[in-house]
């Protein structure tokens, strides 16, 4: 009996314990549920939002919250929800996303193009895929080449135009001493070239029968006036006019007033009369020789005033647009290297010398100490400024001129340089204005440009301008692209595909293909136009024919077929189609027109 009671008590105690445990567990779950939900909500709030997408149109994305046209909120896409989140974390930081067809269109967030193709991610640890391929050099190579960079910035483009010049006498101060009568030189008072003379100074004594006759006529007329002092006024006036005309004839023959006063005061003729200098200056030419007979109009002396001289500068025609009248000029001559003379532009000659392609620019300057001699060489510097404010410019050493276009190397990262075409404008002292191609703040290579060209086979990179696919990452099934020595950009990548010929256009050298997926380009099946490298390929293609082909990138958005041959039956066009790319060729058909003509 006692044993039965103990067994029953033990069973009842166990049941009570089980009931109590069940009750505690249920209540604990109820209490922890809010805390668990709160923890999940907090974790959700701490997750990184990559972008926001339209719930009705996934290709429509935004980096910030917004509403769709129908009023619905854009849905956030978190980093750990992104389809390629794990792959992206393994490959490094994503810089941006590029258009899969090579068009110049990028996005900071994942998106799709109008054909539904995903934009391709560009990572920080790989060469950016852009329309312009990069030149890659190792850091030790950069140091060995001595590469230096400088920022593109706004600068005042003041330019110095340099020219050679010769000193010339001021043409307005040239004087020629000529005779207006025939005669002989009796004596030379100025008998050497280069001798300085002053205005009115005696040059030479001359003998001329015409001068003696004129003196005698004057003396006869003057005596007649004295003899007819008691005659009528008309007779006296006639005799006076005769005397005055005789003196005027001597004046017309350049006989000085000094000689005429002596004639009127002495009242007798002089066998030799003196010719005097008409101005201050130096004798540049002296054909006159003592005892020489001269004819009327013959040059006897040439005198020039050199207190103010001309400088005739030879300015190249490409610099003429920067020279203007009134502009200051600095002059240096080899005879006085420590002196810097200053003058002003007074005239720009209207003709250009055909042989030297230069035009003469006249500069006038004072020469009080006669330091500048005629025909002396000089160097001239014209200071010129744009007058339009600051201009975006790069150092002139940064420009690589290929003859047909100009390029600069823009530093994208350490050891990575982008050859970029630029449009140039005005030139200054050491700098060139850039109208298009670069932005302020970008770093351009100013030293070792040509060494980089030689080291990295830059010509190959130049030939790939506009070829976006060079930066595309090869698929695992494709052979890796060879890399040139020194990390240079290699030839354009070749992508293999299979498709069916739909149309052939010999006039445009193009073919329309309905091709299957191309994994190396991440293209789904679609119908599009391709250019052909060799027009002879078109003769082997017929509509409805299945072909294997190789294509490379051409201009942005354009691909060129470099090889085409009939497809083998053992390798159908759809065999390489990945499982995650199930779009049929007809799905992209409406968008194929976007590629027409590419």
């Amino acid at each position: 009996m006692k044993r039965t009671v103990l067994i029953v008590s033990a069973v009842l105690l166990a049941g009570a314990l089980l009931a109590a445990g069940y009750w505690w567990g249920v209540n604990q779950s109820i209490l922890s549920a809010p805390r668990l939900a709160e923890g999940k909500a907090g974790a959700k709030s701490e997750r990184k939002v990559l972008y926001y997408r339209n719930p009705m149109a996934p290709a429509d994305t935004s980096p910030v919250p917004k509403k769709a046209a129908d009023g619905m909120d854009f849905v956030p896409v978190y980093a750990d929800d992104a389809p390629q989140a794990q792959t992206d974390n393994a490959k490094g930081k994503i810089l941006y996303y590029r258009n899969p067809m090579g068009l110049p269109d990028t996005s900071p967030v994942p998106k799709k193009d109008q054909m539904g193709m995903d934009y391709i991610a560009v990572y920080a640890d790989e060469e950016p895929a852009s329309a312009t391929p990069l030149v890659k050099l190792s850091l030790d190579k950069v140091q060995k080449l001595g590469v230096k960079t400088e920022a593109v910035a706004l600068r005042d483009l003041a330019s110095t135009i340099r020219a050679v010049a010769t000193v010339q006498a001021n043409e307005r101060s040239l004087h020629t001493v000529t005779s207006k009568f025939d005669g002989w030189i009796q004596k030379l008072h100025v008998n050497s070239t280069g001798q300085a003379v002053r205005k009115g100074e005696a040059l030479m004594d001359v003998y001329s029968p015409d001068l003696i006759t004129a003196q005698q006529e004057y003396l006869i007329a003057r005596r007649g006036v004295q003899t007819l002092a008691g005659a009528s006024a008309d007779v006296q006036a006639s005799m006076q006019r005769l005397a005055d005309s005789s003196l005027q004839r001597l004046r017309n023959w350049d006989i000085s007033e000094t000689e005429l006063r002596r004639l009127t005061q002495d009242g007798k003729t002089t066998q030799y009369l003196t010719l005097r200098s008409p101005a201050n200056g130096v004798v540049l030419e002296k054909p006159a020789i003592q005892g020489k007979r001269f004819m009327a109009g013959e040059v006897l002396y040439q005198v020039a005033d050199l207190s103010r001289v001309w400088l005739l500068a030879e300015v190249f025609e490409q610099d003429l647009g920067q020279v203007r009248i009134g502009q200051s000029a600095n002059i240096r001559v080899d005879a006085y290297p420590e002196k810097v003379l200053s003058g002003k532009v007074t005239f720009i000659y209207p003709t250009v010398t055909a042989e030297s392609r230069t035009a003469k620019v006249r500069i006038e300057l004072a020469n009080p100490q006669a330091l500048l001699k005629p025909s002396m060489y000089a160097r001239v510097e014209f200071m010129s400024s744009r007058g339009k404010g600051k201009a975006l410019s790069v150092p002139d050493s940064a420009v690589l001129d290929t003859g047909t276009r100009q390029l600069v190397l823009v530093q994208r990262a350490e050891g990575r340089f982008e050859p970029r075409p630029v449009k140039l404008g005005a030139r200054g002292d050491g700098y060139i204005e850039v109208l298009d191609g670069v932005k302020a703040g970008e770093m351009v290579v100013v030293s070792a440009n040509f060494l980089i060209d030689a080291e990295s086979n830059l010509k190959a990179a130049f030939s790939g301008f506009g070829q976006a696919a060079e930066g595309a990452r090869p698929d695992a099934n494709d052979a890796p692209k060879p890399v040139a020595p020194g990390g240079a950009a290699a030839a354009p990548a070749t992508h293999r595909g299979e498709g069916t010929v739909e149309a052939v256009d010999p006039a445009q050298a193009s073919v329309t293909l309905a091709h299957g997926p191309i994994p190396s380009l991440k293209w789904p099946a679609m119908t599009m136009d391709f250019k052909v490298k060799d027009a002879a390929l078109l003769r082997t293609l017929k509509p409805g024919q299945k072909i294997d082909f190789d294509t490379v990138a051409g201009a942005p958005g354009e691909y060129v077929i470099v090889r085409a041959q009939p497809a083998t039956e053992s390798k159908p066009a759809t065999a390489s189609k990945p499982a995650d790319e199930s779009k049929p060729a007809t799905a992209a058909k409406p968008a194929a027109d976007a590629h027409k003509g590419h």
Side-chain angles (χ1 to χ4, degrees):
M1 183 69 180
K2 183 180 295 186
R3 185 175 180 180
T4 302
V5 171
L6 289 174
I7 293 172
V8 171
S9 299
V11 171
L12 293 175
L13 180 60
L17 290 173
L18 290 172
Y22 174 76
W23 175 85
W24 183 84
V26 170
N27 286 294
Q28 191 68 18
S29 300
I30 295 174
L31 291 173
S32 61
R35 289 195 297 270
L36 182 59
E38 182 181 354
K40 289 184 177 180
K44 188 77 171 179
S45 63
E46 294 176 357
R47 295 164 65 193
K48 180 180 179 181
V49 177
L50 289 180
Y51 59 93
Y52 298 83
R53 65 175 177 83
N54 190 326
M56 302 303 295
D60 183 12
T61 61
S62 170
V64 296
K66 63 180 292 188
K67 290 182 179 293
D70 55 4
M72 298 178 64
D73 291 326
F74 273 43
V75 179
V77 176
Y78 296 95
D80 53 357
D81 288 341
Q84 297 180 343
Q86 311 235 340
T87 304
D88 294 348
N89 292 335
K91 292 184 177 179
K93 180 182 177 182
I94 296 178
L95 297 178
Y96 56 89
Y97 297 82
R98 68 173 179 85
N99 189 293
M101 296 300 296
L103 297 176
D105 179 24
T106 60
S107 171
V109 297
K111 63 181 291 188
K112 295 179 182 290
D113 67 0
Q114 59 183 358
M115 294 169 38
M117 298 174 62
D118 291 323
Y119 273 45
I120 299 174
V122 177
Y123 299 90
D125 56 352
E126 69 177 12
E127 178 178 339
S130 63
T132 305
L134 297 186
V135 176
K136 296 172 62 178
L137 297 176
S138 60
L139 296 183
D140 60 335
K141 191 82 68 176
V142 170
Q143 293 178 352
K144 290 178 181 179
L145 294 178
V147 177
K148 296 181 181 179
T149 59
E150 188 170 335
V152 181
L154 293 172
R155 299 179 178 91
D156 287 322
L157 289 182
S159 59
T160 302
I161 302 170
R162 295 175 174 85
V164 295
T166 54
V167 179
Q168 302 290 339
N170 187 345
E171 292 178 3
R172 302 187 185 97
S173 302
L174 288 175
H175 299 274
T176 300
V177 178
T178 59
S179 65
K180 298 178 181 178
F181 50 86
D182 298 343
W184 287 261
I185 299 174
Q186 176 64 26
K187 180 180 180 181
L188 288 177
H189 298 284
V190 175
N191 54 9
S192 64
T193 303
Q195 185 174 341
V197 296
R198 302 189 62 83
K199 185 176 182 178
E201 183 177 346
L203 297 176
M204 60 183 176
D205 294 339
V206 298
Y207 164 78
S208 173
D210 294 335
L211 294 180
I212 295 176
T213 301
Q215 293 179 72
Q216 291 175 347
E217 288 179 355
Y218 167 72
L219 294 177
I220 293 172
R222 192 177 73 166
R223 285 196 294 269
V225 171
Q226 295 173 354
T227 303
L228 299 175
S232 64
D234 292 340
V235 174
Q236 292 183 6
S238 298
M239 292 304 295
Q240 187 61 45
R241 284 194 297 272
L242 182 59
D244 293 340
S245 64
S246 299
L247 284 178
Q248 186 60 43
R249 190 191 310 175
L250 292 172
R251 290 192 184 96
N252 293 340
W253 285 339
D254 293 334
I255 303 302
S256 65
E257 293 295 328
T258 302
E259 300 299 319
L260 297 181
R261 282 196 301 270
R262 184 172 55 80
L263 175 62
T264 57
Q265 290 173 1
D266 294 347
K268 60 180 181 179
T269 60
T270 303
Q271 186 176 4
Y272 306 109
L273 290 181
T274 303
L275 298 184
R276 300 180 180 273
S277 173
N280 297 331
V282 296
V283 177
L284 298 183
E285 296 181 12
K286 189 193 72 65
I289 300 174
Q290 188 164 317
K292 175 183 177 180
R293 183 181 187 275
F294 57 86
M295 306 295 290
E298 186 176 344
V299 176
L300 301 176
Y301 289 94
Q302 189 175 58
V303 179
D305 184 0
L306 299 181
S307 62
R308 191 168 187 84
V309 296
W310 287 0
L311 207 65
L312 299 184
E314 299 283 346
V315 178
F316 287 105
E317 60 178 319
Q318 64 264 28
D319 297 328
L320 283 176
Q322 302 181 59
V323 180
R324 62 186 182 277
I325 295 177
Q327 188 173 357
S328 298
N330 295 329
I331 300 114
R332 289 180 173 85
V333 292
D334 292 337
Y336 316 103
E338 74 285 355
K339 293 184 179 294
V340 179
L341 307 176
S342 180
K344 287 189 177 296
V345 177
T346 58
F347 187 70
I348 301 174
Y349 285 77
T351 58
V352 173
T353 304
E355 293 78 11
S356 61
R357 307 310 305 167
T358 58
K360 286 184 171 60
V361 175
R362 182 198 303 160
I363 304 165
E364 291 190 21
L365 67 160
N367 187 31
Q369 300 176 356
L371 298 178
L372 300 178
K373 321 293 185 186
S375 300
M376 181 180 285
Y377 280 107
R379 296 185 300 275
V380 183
E381 293 181 352
F382 303 92
M383 301 305 297
S384 176
S385 61
R386 296 175 67 252
K388 300 179 182 179
K390 295 184 177 180
L392 192 68
S393 59
V394 298
D396 52 11
S397 62
V399 178
L400 290 170
D401 196 335
T402 67
T404 57
R405 57 182 172 179
Q406 294 76 37
L407 308 107
V408 297
L409 291 176
V410 179
Q411 185 180 34
R412 295 286 296 272
E414 288 292 337
R416 299 186 181 187
F417 307 97
E418 175 189 348
R420 191 180 299 174
V422 291
K423 183 179 179 182
L424 303 180
R427 294 177 180 264
D429 288 339
Y431 292 93
I432 304 177
E433 180 184 9
V434 179
L435 303 177
D436 186 32
V438 294
K439 298 181 294 184
E442 290 185 311
M443 304 299 292
V444 296
V445 178
V446 299
S447 176
N449 315 47
F450 295 99
L451 294 177
I452 293 177
D453 187 357
E455 181 67 29
S456 62
N457 191 17
L458 195 56
K459 291 183 179 179
F462 289 164
S463 65
F465 269 104
Q467 298 179 5
E470 287 194 68
R473 298 187 304 278
D475 191 76
N477 297 328
D478 295 332
K481 269 196 308 186
V483 179
T494 302
H495 309 278
R496 178 166 298 179
E498 298 177 356
T500 302
V501 178
E502 292 201 347
V504 177
D505 187 354
Q508 298 295 329
S510 65
V511 59
T512 304
L513 294 179
H515 64 79
I518 301 179
S520 62
L521 288 172
K522 296 188 176 180
W523 284 2
M526 70 178 83
T527 300
M528 61 181 288
D529 287 348
F530 291 88
K531 293 286 187 180
V532 293
K533 183 177 181 181
D534 186 356
L537 285 175
L538 297 178
R539 294 196 293 268
T540 65
L541 304 179
K542 298 179 181 179
Q545 182 183 11
K546 293 184 178 181
I547 63 170
D548 294 334
F549 64 91
D550 290 341
T551 181
V552 298
E558 177 182 280
Y559 281 81
V560 180
I561 292 178
V562 296
R563 183 192 66 85
Q565 65 182 25
T568 58
E569 295 182 358
S570 61
K571 189 178 181 182
T574 58
S576 62
K577 183 173 181 180
D580 58 344
E581 294 182 353
S582 58
K583 296 180 183 179
T586 55
K589 183 72 173 181
D593 291 341
H595 299 279
K596 296 292 184 181
H598 287 305

